Amino acid sequence: MPRKGMLRGVKRIVVKIGTSLITEEAKISRRRIERLVGDIAELIEQKYQVVVVSSGAISAGSGALGKKREHLSIPEKQAMAAVGQSILMDEYRKCFRKHGREVGQILLTEDDVKHRRRFLNARHTFNALIEMGVVPIVNENDSVAIKEIRFGDNDTLSAHVANIVEAGLLVILSDVDGFYSELGDELPIEEVRSIDEDLRRRAGGAGSPHGTGGMATKIGAAEIIMKSGELMMIANGRTPGVLPALMRGEKLGTLFKGGKNHMQSRKRWIAFNMKSSGEITIDEGAVRALVESKKSLLASGIIGVSGKFNPGDAVDVMNPNGATIGKGISNYSAAELDMIKGKRTREIRGILSGTYYEEVINRDDMIIHDVP
Ligand code: GLU
């Protein structure tokens, strides 16, 4: 299938920008950020939803303070990230504002994707930002993340961000044209359909002195993306207009494409990896909304709650006769649901102060069993 066809269903894109693309002589480069932001703004104009994962905090900090990155201890690097992250955001903000866009900073650690509740909470924040037309800009929370909870590189982080926001495509921009089969090859591989030991070996070691990732972490990211049934590309961020060109289906960089489709893999995860911690019983109207109209579950259709569960846990969904019709991830705890069951969405705000979500179980977080 031509690339254009594969990209047709893509709406949400995560763009990962490597340190080498936005620095010049070990300092943050406005000119370079400006150009990449111009590309991203063009995608947003075309109605794509874009989340940016940008490296460069440590380099921006050390550049500003005149320190050599290679000579820094871990606490010093963390300090540089604290300085550099605000410099980085300031640059992105100035550049995006020229296109009439505000930016929002999200700093994550591995803990945030390991725990379902935090994972979902992060997703809600991303969605709220995107709905407001704000461009989320993500980095690892380097100043506080200790070794045990670090992603360690932004390639891996960007794959997890793509999972959090359910992006159809992750584009990793770096200073190489794509993934090369052998060192010295003239052109990168156009398409990778599966990743085996041999390919992993060819991806080799770490990257440039400026960033953390090399090809190995990019291939690791591709494995995550392909397992989720989505697309990933590695392309050269120095190529002018690279992002719009990629989305036009031009054969640039390397495309990674797994076999399964998005819904199947996600549903499989809910079906097989998550144990139900409770039951939600819903009325006939809600059964119809879920089964026939493929809607999300709202509190108004709930008539009973049992079990003990927290937001992010899986629950079985039962019809009024007590038959299990599906399973999904609840945005609310059992105690909260007990208070809001049968209530209209607008009433919920008055009952639960603080957290408040439109849907009890989002459509994408739910599987419906084949009911005979
Ligand atoms: N989070 C690091 C930074 O902003 C970059 C990690 C990486 O290069 O992958 O400096």
Side-chain angles (χ1 to χ4, degrees), residues 16 18-19 54-59 69 81 85 88 139-140 142 150 152-155 157 210-213:
K16 187 259 172 178
T19 303
S54 180
S55 306
I58 298 174
S59 289
R69 186 182 165 130
Q85 184 61 27
L88 202 57
N139 198 355
E140 176 141 34
D142 290 315
R150 284 199 77 201
D153 69 89
N154 278 7
D155 294 327
L157 170 66
H210 307 295
T212 311

Side-chain angles (χ1 to χ4, degrees), residues 179 181-182 194-204 219:
F179 180 66
S181 172
E182 296 295 340
S194 69
I195 291 172
D196 55 15
E197 263 319 309
D198 180 49
L199 193 139
R200 260 183 233 116
R201 186 186 46 75
R202 278 184 279 144
I219 295 302

Side-chain angles (χ1 to χ4, degrees), residues 196-265:
D196 55 15
E197 263 319 309
D198 180 49
L199 193 139
R200 260 183 233 116
R201 186 186 46 75
R202 278 184 279 144
S208 71
H210 307 295
T212 311
M215 263 309 150
T217 50
K218 290 176 182 52
I219 295 302
E223 286 189 82
I224 296 174
I225 296 293
M226 288 162 88
K227 265 190 207 135
S228 323
E230 311 293 3
L231 301 170
M232 189 183 108
M233 290 184 188
I234 298 175
N236 195 330
R238 298 231 166 109
T239 310
V242 64
L243 288 172
L246 284 174
M247 296 319 288
R248 283 195 298 273
E250 285 180 29
K251 280 192 178 144
L252 290 165
T254 305
L255 174 80
F256 296 80
K257 188 184 187 316
K260 299 164 230 148
N261 76 43
H262 164 78
M263 285 312 276
Q264 278 173 344
S265 66

Side-chain angles (χ1 to χ4, degrees), residues 115-117 120 266-281 297 305-318 324 326-334 337 360-362 364-367 369:
H115 297 98
R116 192 72 192 161
R117 187 174 180 175
L120 283 177
R266 184 162 178 75
K267 284 179 184 207
R268 214 171 293 153
W269 188 72
I270 293 170
F272 304 121
N273 298 31
M274 297 192 83
K275 227 171 90 72
S276 282
S277 320
E279 289 171 2
I280 296 178
T281 306
L297 176 64
V305 181
S306 69
K308 245 186 120 183
F309 53 90
N310 290 312
D313 287 344
V315 292
D316 285 322
V317 180
M318 327 285 280
T324 311
K327 182 175 168 190
I329 301 167
S330 177
N331 281 333
Y332 289 100
S333 70
L337 280 185
V360 173
I361 302 178
N362 185 282
D364 295 338
D365 295 331
M366 177 161 40
I367 50 160
H369 301 311

Side-chain angles (χ1 to χ4, degrees), residues 20 34 45 65 79 138 150 158 199 203 209 233 240 244 273-274 300 303 322:
S20 63
E34 209 153 42
E45 279 300 306
L65 296 186
V138 187
R150 284 199 77 201
S158 66
L199 193 139
M233 290 184 188
N273 298 31
M274 297 192 83
S300 57
I303 51 180

